[in-house]
């Protein structure tokens, strides 16, 4: 069974694109919380949105670190 390898440029694109989308989501969440701070606080939903941000930020950063590490090692 001979498996064809994917070109490194395409592999990078497939891996990096969702990571960029996660940063856009994080930025959108931060803007949403900033613009609706008073309403979220009044309805006791602020902590839920802050938890989303606190979970997404390190996940996006770790994924970026992992991608950069793989690219530097020549795996991607």
């Amino acid at each position: 069974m001979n498996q064809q390898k994917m070109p490194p440029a395409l592999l990078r694109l497939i891996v990096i694109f969702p990571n960029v989308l996660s940063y856009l989501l994080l930025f959108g969440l931060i803007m949403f919380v900033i613009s609706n701070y008073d309403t979220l606080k009044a309805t006791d939903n602020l902590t839920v949105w802050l938890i989303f941000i606190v979970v997404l930020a390190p996940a996006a950063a770790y994924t970026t670190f992992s991608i950069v590490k793989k690219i530097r090692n020549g795996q991607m």
Side-chain angles (χ1 to χ4, degrees):
M1 197 163 151
N2 192 4
Q3 232 178 359
Q4 292 182 348
K5 286 193 171 187
M6 192 178 296
L10 182 62
L11 182 61
R12 286 182 189 169
L13 181 67
I14 290 172
V15 173
I16 292 174
F17 183 69
N19 194 25
V20 170
L21 289 179
S22 70
Y23 278 108
L24 290 175
L25 177 64
L26 180 62
F27 179 72
L29 282 175
I30 292 170
M31 288 295 110
F32 174 76
V33 169
I34 289 171
S35 64
N36 296 310
Y37 180 79
D38 294 329
T39 306
L40 291 172
K41 193 171 183 181
T43 59
D44 293 328
N45 287 325
L46 182 61
T47 52
V48 173
W49 290 99
L50 290 177
I51 289 171
F52 286 153
I53 291 171
V54 167
V55 168
L56 183 60
Y62 176 75
T63 306
T64 301
F65 173 74
S66 143
I67 291 170
V68 168
K69 188 176 167 185
K70 285 182 180 181
I71 289 174
R72 286 186 182 162
N73 287 338
Q75 295 174 349
M76 220 185 306

